[in-house]
């Protein structure tokens, strides 16, 4: 199997932005042109949506409780004589169908069936239905359980006649970022079930104190010139000073960015990620051009009008993350739980202030604020 590591780990945002979507489309278009693949009209596909009765706990043979896990099937390109199947792995958000152009165009080229499985605890695939997302209810939200979900579902497809797939079918898992890691781990753990795995941007190496991420973002910002990085650094510094030294100015900042529920440090986390997400998802030139030779107020005004493209303030506050209420569109609480319990990937300020784009207050001590909503069981958590 193979995997590529070319972008940051997933974050706790609840839905990908238009900027993220646009850059994915451009990247996919370039790759697919190179491979000679033809675009697929997703809206014309016949996507079947259904549910699989999945075990809540795969590691206790006496626990036979199950939940309804959503899946999708695209048969438009399938040639049953070839018996080729792509298992598209959905990740830390609601899965609303198979829309990835790269996967669909590969399926078209190779005459393969595509099936996708929604990740447990995200979207409508809730082990405890619409019960709250309490820490007690989240205890089965692990990568190990998710991998077993995939294995169980794969066997279900193979043995259910309506799928027109037999035991000799050849499977390849596909995922990006966290699902990319699941794809790679699945191939490693279950080599007998698949013939290969594609893990784009596969974050297979959990790092708790992830200072190196900002260092890479700095290098990306400097492609527009050192002045762009300096402008971002100055913005973060002045915003931090305002938050802690000017109560009237701090109130105005929160109002300007719709971030009333955030503490000072949470606002700094949110504010630094505006630059991070814009740069990561292909808007680096636009961002840097908007900051160039502008006053502090003009820069803030542009950011306040554009941050919604990539992030939402409520994904950055302990107050919001503490909300245990189920909503199929929410994923911030679940993803922070996964980060704190298994993966880390906490983006912190580098030790060398010259390479940092965020306040030094955004450190591991700050991320331990996740403990405020994980109660006594937080002793076992990474952060």
């Amino acid at each position: 199997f193979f995997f590529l590591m070319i972008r940051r780990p997933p974050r706790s945002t609840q839905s990908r932005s238009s900027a993220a979507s646009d850059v994915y489309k451009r990247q996919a278009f370039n790759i697919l042109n190179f491979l000679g693949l033809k675009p697929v009209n997703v809206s014309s596909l016949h996507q079947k949506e259904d549910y699989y009765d999945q075990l809540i706990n795969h590691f206790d043979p006496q626990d036979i409780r199950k939940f309804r896990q959503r899946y999708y099937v695209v048969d438009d390109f399938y040639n049953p004589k070839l018996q080729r199947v792509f298992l598209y792995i959905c990740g830390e958000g609601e899965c609303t169908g198979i829309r990835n152009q790269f996967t669909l165009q590969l399926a078209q080229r190779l005459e393969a069936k595509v099936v996708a499985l929604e990740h447990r605890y995200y979207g409508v695939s809730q082990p405890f239905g619409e019960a709250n997302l309490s820490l007690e209810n989240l205890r089965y939200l692990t990568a190990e359980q998710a991998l077993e979900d995939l294995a169980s579902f794969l066997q279900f497809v193979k043995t259910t006649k309506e799928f027109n797939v037999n035991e000799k079918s050849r499977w390849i898992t596909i995922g990006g970022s966290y699902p990319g890691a699941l794809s790679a781990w699945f191939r490693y753990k279950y080599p007998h079930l698949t013939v290969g795995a594609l893990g784009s941007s596969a974050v297979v190496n959990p790092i708790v104190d992830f200072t190196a991420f900002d260092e890479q973002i700095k290098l990306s910002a400097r492609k527009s010139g050192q002045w762009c990085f300096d402008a971002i650094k100055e913005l973060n510094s002045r915003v931090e000073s305002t938050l802690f030294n000017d109560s009237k100015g701090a109130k105005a900042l929160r109002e300007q960015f719709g971030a009333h529920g955030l503490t000072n440090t949470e606002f700094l986390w949110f504010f630094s990620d505006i630059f991070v997400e814009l740069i990561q998802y292909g808007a680096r030139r636009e961002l840097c051009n908007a900051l160039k030779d502008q006053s502090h107020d003009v820069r803030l005004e542009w950011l306040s009008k554009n941050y919604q493209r990539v992030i939402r303030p409520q994904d950055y506050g302990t107050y919001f993350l503490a909300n245990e209420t189920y909503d199929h569109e929410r994923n911030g609480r679940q993803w922070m739980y996964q980060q704190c319990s298994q993966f880390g990937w906490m983006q912190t300020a580098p030790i060398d202030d010259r390479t940092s784009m965020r306040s030094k207050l955004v450190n591991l001590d700050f991320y331990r604020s996740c403990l405020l909503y994980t109660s006594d069981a937080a002793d076992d958590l990474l952060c």
Side-chain angles (χ1 to χ4, degrees):
F1 65 91
F2 61 94
F3 51 89
L4 309 174
M5 297 190 68
I6 53 179
R7 72 176 175 89
R8 65 169 279 183
R11 260 213 21 84
S12 59
T13 48
Q14 296 183 3
S15 61
R16 282 303 172 200
S17 65
S18 59
S21 177
D22 289 344
V23 74
Y24 282 146
K25 289 177 182 177
R26 290 196 299 272
Q27 291 173 346
F29 180 78
N30 292 335
I31 294 172
L32 296 168
N33 269 348
F34 175 76
L35 295 175
L37 302 179
K38 298 178 181 180
V40 172
N41 183 358
V42 177
S43 62
S44 69
L45 298 177
H46 301 90
Q47 298 214 27
K48 175 188 175 182
E49 177 183 345
D50 210 335
Y51 294 83
Y52 170 56
D53 290 332
Q54 185 72 264
L55 284 171
I56 290 179
N57 183 9
H58 293 280
F59 302 104
D60 182 354
Q62 294 182 324
D63 189 345
I64 59 173
R65 292 174 300 167
K66 293 185 177 182
F67 71 100
R68 285 163 53 83
Q69 190 165 23
R70 181 163 60 176
Y71 68 86
Y72 297 88
V73 181
V74 170
D75 275 329
D76 296 61
F77 317 116
Y78 183 52
N79 183 347
K81 294 180 180 179
L82 299 176
Q83 289 290 308
R84 295 168 176 168
V85 186
F86 291 144
L87 174 52
Y88 183 78
I89 304 173
C90 297
E92 69 284 9
E94 183 173 19
C95 186
T96 56
I98 304 166
R99 309 184 188 283
N100 181 270
Q101 275 289 324
F102 184 66
T103 302
L104 291 170
Q105 292 185 37
L106 282 178
Q108 180 179 243
R109 178 72 171 272
L110 299 174
E111 300 179 75
K113 180 192 294 285
V114 185
V115 295
L117 185 67
E118 187 169 60
H119 197 295
R120 58 170 53 211
Y121 286 93
Y122 293 99
V124 300
S125 299
Q126 300 294 323
F128 297 98
E130 295 187 6
N132 64 31
L133 296 172
S134 66
L135 188 65
E136 176 68 15
N137 286 346
L138 289 174
R139 66 190 183 279
Y140 301 113
L141 176 54
T142 67
E144 291 82 3
Q145 295 281 3
L147 290 172
E148 291 289 337
D149 287 346
L150 293 169
S152 176
F153 175 68
L154 187 155
Q155 297 285 26
F156 162 71
V157 173
K158 277 187 174 182
T159 57
T160 303
K161 290 184 179 180
E162 67 180 83
F163 290 102
N164 200 12
V165 173
N166 61 44
E167 287 294 332
K168 294 182 179 179
S169 57
R170 291 174 291 176
W171 290 66
I172 291 179
T173 56
I174 298 179
S177 196
Y178 165 55
L182 290 174
S183 181
W185 293 332
F186 189 84
R187 175 65 176 156
Y188 182 80
K189 188 173 183 181
Y190 308 99
H192 60 293
L193 295 181
T194 61
V195 297
L198 173 60
S200 175
S201 316
V203 285
V204 295
N205 184 23
I207 301 172
V208 177
D209 195 3
F210 197 13
T211 60
F213 179 70
D214 269 16
E215 295 170 3
Q216 181 58 51
I217 291 295
K218 180 203 75 169
L219 295 176
S220 298
R222 288 176 63 184
K223 288 183 178 180
S224 290
Q226 179 65 35
W227 56 267
C228 183
F229 171 73
D230 292 341
I232 295 171
K233 190 173 177 61
E234 180 185 4
L235 274 163
N236 276 284
S237 178
R238 291 187 62 172
V239 164
E240 180 175 348
S241 178
T242 298
L243 289 170
F244 287 94
N245 300 304
D246 180 0
S247 58
K248 185 177 180 181
K251 181 180 179 181
L253 264 179
R254 287 187 174 86
E255 290 178 352
Q256 186 175 11
F257 285 86
H260 303 280
L262 303 187
T263 66
N264 286 346
T265 310
E266 287 168 354
F267 188 93
L268 290 173
W269 178 26
F270 154 73
F271 189 73
S272 62
D273 261 15
I274 297 175
F275 307 105
V276 163
E277 298 283 342
L278 285 170
I279 290 174
Q280 177 186 349
Y281 290 113
R284 186 255 306 167
R285 290 187 180 89
E286 182 185 1
L287 167 66
C288 292
N289 288 339
L291 302 182
K292 190 174 184 180
D293 299 327
Q294 298 294 336
S295 68
H296 180 69
D297 289 342
V298 170
R299 290 170 173 173
L300 282 179
E301 182 67 17
W302 187 89
L303 291 170
S304 69
K305 292 179 178 178
N306 287 274
Y307 77 86
Q308 299 96 332
R309 293 159 50 185
V310 286
I311 58 176
R312 308 189 316 174
Q314 56 263 46
D315 293 321
Y316 290 81
T318 303
Y319 173 82
F320 300 103
L321 294 172
N323 185 354
E324 299 178 357
T325 305
Y326 164 75
D327 183 329
H328 67 95
E329 293 183 343
R330 288 187 62 207
N331 76 347
R333 178 175 172 82
Q334 300 97 300
W335 181 242
M336 181 60 84
Y337 176 84
Q338 286 192 268
Q339 284 187 280
C340 284
S341 61
Q342 287 197 297
F343 304 130
W345 297 323
M346 304 301 178
Q347 289 142 32
T348 53
I351 296 176
D352 185 350
D353 189 57
R354 294 172 297 178
T355 64
S356 178
M357 295 174 60
R358 71 181 71 227
S359 167
K360 286 190 175 296
L361 296 176
V362 183
N363 51 32
L364 281 186
D365 285 337
F366 162 70
Y367 281 113
R368 290 189 177 94
S369 65
C370 71
L371 303 185
L372 295 178
Y373 75 85
T374 53
S375 75
D376 295 337
D379 292 341
D380 295 329
L381 301 186
L382 295 175
C383 64

